[in-house]
């Protein structure tokens, strides 16, 4: 059997973190078993679905490098297929027309609540042997309901949660087509999974209650029932449902915030799944290790600090040229023109082990390409009376020496020695004048990245 999985988001917003994890697990399971991964866009919610949301899903999948073998398929392009299946079900008696109006249905539920009963459709239009149905009211367009089995139970072994059972008596007859003829979500999902030959449905546990209805429809159609794996929700750091107040929840927001896709993928893989104590691993390792047996049925907790740690790890490993290609547009978006000197790759090589995100890397690089004016208070705090003569002498030295890291560092040490100063007394004001920052990598290495003329101009400006 060829494993066939699918990711089926609704294009009513961005691709959120929970959806991205579902996509990742579905993708990895197919890749692990040499199977097929399908992208399906469930766009039947016409009022809320937008082309922008579709693009956001495609962009998010591409950024995470989750390639799909088939698709994207769009449900709205399959309407004729859904309607044909509904007609087949009506003909075979597994579906029927229901003329109960929304107002009648609400009144029915109110009466049931008053009797402390579970509110539900009472089956008044459900055909049964020997039952006489009412005459269809004139001018009323009916919905189509699935004739759910009245007896027995739906039982399946969930590949994450274990055995789950629903009594059929608790499931009322689901509407599978609205009065205007459009099929409903639960029905479209069933037909799509059937037509696409989906063998494993990996999705969030908010779909658990849909599963018994979908299984019953599949059985009524004579279709093979896939195996199900329902993933628990992702909670925020405080144990509540993940939301915007916990930080970014959109996949592409993490791109904007300066995270690398491999860091986000690595982190998502560990949200509810584990392989021993492994914390850092490549996508290839993940696909080789991934299974459904080691997904925890309990909720996963999002930890931004751990994601930051992973991103810092991957930044250190990343090629400087690749990071430069990612940082350059961030600088240009700020209106900063990246000149040939200093080389952006050289700046990144010096700073990438000191930052957490690409945006912080851009912050570090920016000072090399702008006309910097450090805050007056910051300068005054560092430019002590004893430091100024030493800095003036250092500026004179800088005019003559070879412009290299080690030579610059040696010149700084010589001036410090002649003025009987400690390194911070000279290095701190020099950093502030050149970069506007009090903390940088080795001051000699930083100064060496700037053109000599820029360094001298910035020193002279503040030493008049």
């Amino acid at each position: 059997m060829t494993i066939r999985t699918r990711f089926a988001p609704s294009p009513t917003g961005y691709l959120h973190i929970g959806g991205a994890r579902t996509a990742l697990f579905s993708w990895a399971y197919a890749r692990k078993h040499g199977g097929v991964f399908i992208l399906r866009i469930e766009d039947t919610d016409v009022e809320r679905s937008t082309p922008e949301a579709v693009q956001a899903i495609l962009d998010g999948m591409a950024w995470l490098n989750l390639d799909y073998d088939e698709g994207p398929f769009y449900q709205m392009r399959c309407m004729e297929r859904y309607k044909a299946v509904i007609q087949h079900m009506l003909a075979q008696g597994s579906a029927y027309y229901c003329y109960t109006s929304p107002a009648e249905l609400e009144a029915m539920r109110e009466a049931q609540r008053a009797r402390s009963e579970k509110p539900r459709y009472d089956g008044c239009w459900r055909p049964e042997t020997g039952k006489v149905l009412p005459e269809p009211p004139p001018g009323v367009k009916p919905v189509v309901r699935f004739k759910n089995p009245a007896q027995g139970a739906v039982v399946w072994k969930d590949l994450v949660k274990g055995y789950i059972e629903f009594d059929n008596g608790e499931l009322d007859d689901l509407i599978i087509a609205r009065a205007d003829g459009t099929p409903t979500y639960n029905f479209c999902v069933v037909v799509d999974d059937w037509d696409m030959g989906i063998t494993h449905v990996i999705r969030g546990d908010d779909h658990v209650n849909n599963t018994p209805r979908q299984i019953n429809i599949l059985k009524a159609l004579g279709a093979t029932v896939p195996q199900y794996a329902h993933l628990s929700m992702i909670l925020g750091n405080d144990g509540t449902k993940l939301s915007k107040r916990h930080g970014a929840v959109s996949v592409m927001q993490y791109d904007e915030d300066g995270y690398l896709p491999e860091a986000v993928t690595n982190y998502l893989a560990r949200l509810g799944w584990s392989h021993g104590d492994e914390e850092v691993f490549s996508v290839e390792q993940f696909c080789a290790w991934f299974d459904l047996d080691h997904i925890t049925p309990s909720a996963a907790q999002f930890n931004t600090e751990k994601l930051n740690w992973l991103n810092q790890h991957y930044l250190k490993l990343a090629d400087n040229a690749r990071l430069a290609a990612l940082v350059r547009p961030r600088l240009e978006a700020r209106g900063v023109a990246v000149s040939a000197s200093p080389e952006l790759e050289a700046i990144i090589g010096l700073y990438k082990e000191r930052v957490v995100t690409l945006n912080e890397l851009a912050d570090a690089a920016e000072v090399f390409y702008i006309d910097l004016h450090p805050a007056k208070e910051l300068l005054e705090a560092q430019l002590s009376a004893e430091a100024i003569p030493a800095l003036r002498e250092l500026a004179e030295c800088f005019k003559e020496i070879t412009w290299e890291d080690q030579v610059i560092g040696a010149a700084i040490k010589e001036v410090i020695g002649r003025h009987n100063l400690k390194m911070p007394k000279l290095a701190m004001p020099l950093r502030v004048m050149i970069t506007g920052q009090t903390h940088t990598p080795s001051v000699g290495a930083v100064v060496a990245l700037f053109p000599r003329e820029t360094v001298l101009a910035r020193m002279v400006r503040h030493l008049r």
Side-chain angles (χ1 to χ4, degrees):
M1 178 183 68
T2 300
I3 299 293
R4 293 176 64 85
T5 67
R6 48 77 160 178
F7 176 53
S10 297
T12 55
Y14 47 73
L15 176 60
H16 58 79
I17 284 296
R21 183 188 62 167
T22 298
L24 174 64
F25 284 11
S26 300
W27 174 83
Y29 194 71
R31 294 290 172 264
K32 165 70 176 286
H33 295 281
V36 176
F37 175 61
I38 300 166
L39 177 60
R40 186 170 80 215
I41 306 296
E42 297 187 339
D43 56 350
T44 54
D45 188 344
V46 178
E47 291 184 359
R48 298 175 60 215
S49 297
T50 66
E52 293 77 15
V54 171
Q55 192 59 52
I57 291 167
L58 299 178
D59 290 344
M61 296 284 286
W63 186 68
L64 291 171
N65 295 311
L66 300 181
D67 57 320
Y68 35 91
D69 305 296
E70 297 178 12
F73 297 109
Y74 296 86
Q75 287 186 329
M76 285 303 294
R77 299 176 187 176
C78 303
M79 286 293 120
E80 293 308 311
R81 167 62 176 160
Y82 304 140
K83 291 176 181 178
V85 175
I86 287 172
Q87 290 303 312
H88 168 74
M89 293 176 71
L90 286 167
Q92 72 171 14
S94 59
Y96 62 93
Y97 289 115
C98 171
Y99 293 86
T100 304
S101 69
E104 290 172 331
L105 190 58
E106 184 55 36
M108 186 187 301
R109 289 171 173 164
E110 283 297 324
Q112 290 165 339
R113 291 189 190 100
R115 297 192 298 269
S116 299
E117 298 173 0
K118 180 180 178 180
R120 53 184 294 161
Y121 169 65
D122 65 5
C124 57
W125 289 94
R126 177 185 172 112
E128 301 285 6
T129 303
K131 178 179 178 181
V132 179
L133 297 176
E135 283 293 322
V140 175
K141 292 184 177 180
V143 299
V144 178
R145 289 185 182 270
F146 169 61
K147 191 177 182 183
N148 195 77
Q151 307 298 322
V154 186
V155 183
W156 77 93
K157 183 182 179 182
D158 194 276
L159 299 176
V160 172
K161 296 180 175 295
Y163 282 98
I164 299 177
E165 180 174 341
F166 280 79
D167 188 331
N168 275 323
E170 294 296 311
L171 305 174
D172 58 3
D173 291 351
L174 181 74
I175 294 175
I176 60 175
R178 303 176 184 88
D180 63 2
T182 59
T184 58
Y185 163 79
N186 271 299
F187 179 75
C188 295
V189 168
V190 167
V191 176
D192 287 339
D193 286 346
W194 179 29
D195 286 351
M196 294 177 183
I198 302 301
T199 62
H200 293 75
V201 174
I202 302 170
R203 60 187 180 186
D205 65 2
D206 52 328
H207 289 283
V208 167
N209 288 336
N210 293 330
T211 303
R213 303 177 186 279
Q214 294 174 7
I215 288 175
N216 279 341
I217 297 174
L218 283 163
K219 288 181 176 178
L221 291 169
T224 301
V225 177
Q227 296 188 67
Y228 293 90
H230 289 94
L231 312 175
S232 294
M233 70 171 62
I234 301 173
L235 304 178
N237 295 354
D238 56 2
T240 61
K241 186 177 179 181
L242 190 67
S243 65
K244 288 184 179 179
R245 64 188 177 85
H246 295 106
V249 291
S250 159
V251 167
M252 296 313 294
Q253 183 64 49
Y254 283 95
D255 177 30
E256 292 178 24
D257 289 348
Y259 290 87
L260 293 173
E262 57 265 41
V264 175
T265 300
N266 191 159
Y267 184 70
L268 287 177
R270 287 288 284 112
L271 274 179
W273 173 85
S274 63
H275 181 79
D277 295 325
E278 299 288 345
E279 292 287 348
V280 181
F281 41 81
S282 67
V283 171
E284 291 76 20
Q285 287 174 313
F286 174 55
C287 289
W289 292 338
F290 184 70
D291 58 16
L292 301 174
D293 296 336
H294 288 86
I295 297 176
T296 176
S298 57
Q301 197 160 17
F302 197 92
N303 186 317
T304 303
E305 289 183 6
K306 184 171 285 187
L307 172 60
N308 288 343
W309 175 80
L310 274 171
N311 202 60
Q312 192 169 37
H313 168 80
Y314 281 107
L315 282 173
K316 291 177 183 178
L317 296 179
D319 180 75
N320 292 346
R322 177 197 170 199
L323 294 180
L326 294 171
V327 168
R328 185 181 296 272
R330 284 172 160 78
L331 291 170
E332 292 172 348
R334 304 177 184 186
V336 176
V338 179
S339 58
S341 180
E343 290 185 359
L344 183 54
E345 285 185 36
I347 298 170
I348 283 167
L350 190 60
Y351 277 88
K352 71 178 184 180
E353 295 195 9
R354 302 172 63 91
V355 299
V356 173
T357 68
L358 290 168
N359 291 353
E360 290 180 8
L361 202 48
D363 292 340
E366 181 176 334
V367 300
F368 289 84
Y369 300 111
I370 62 174
D371 185 17
L372 185 73
H373 294 277
K376 181 180 178 181
E377 298 78 9
L378 186 59
L379 277 169
E380 290 176 349
Q382 300 298 334
L383 276 175
S384 62
E386 57 186 335
I388 290 175
L391 287 165
R392 285 176 174 153
E393 182 180 331
L394 184 62
E396 292 300 316
C397 290
F398 280 173
K399 292 178 183 178
E400 306 296 334
I401 62 174
T402 304
W403 203 246
E404 295 175 356
D405 178 359
Q406 292 183 342
V407 179
I408 292 170
I412 292 172
K413 289 178 181 178
E414 288 174 8
V415 170
I416 286 173
R418 284 196 291 270
H419 287 261
N420 198 27
L421 296 174
K422 292 186 177 180
M423 177 64 81
K425 282 290 184 180
L426 186 69
M428 289 292 279
L430 181 59
R431 280 191 178 95
V432 170
M433 286 190 293
I434 305 304
T435 71
Q437 301 165 349
T438 55
H439 299 285
T440 69
S442 163
V443 67
V446 171
V447 170
L449 284 178
F450 284 93
R452 187 196 308 262
E453 297 75 17
T454 302
V455 172
L456 292 173
R458 291 186 181 184
M459 291 181 73
V460 170
R461 179 189 299 167
H462 301 297
L463 292 173
R464 292 171 180 167

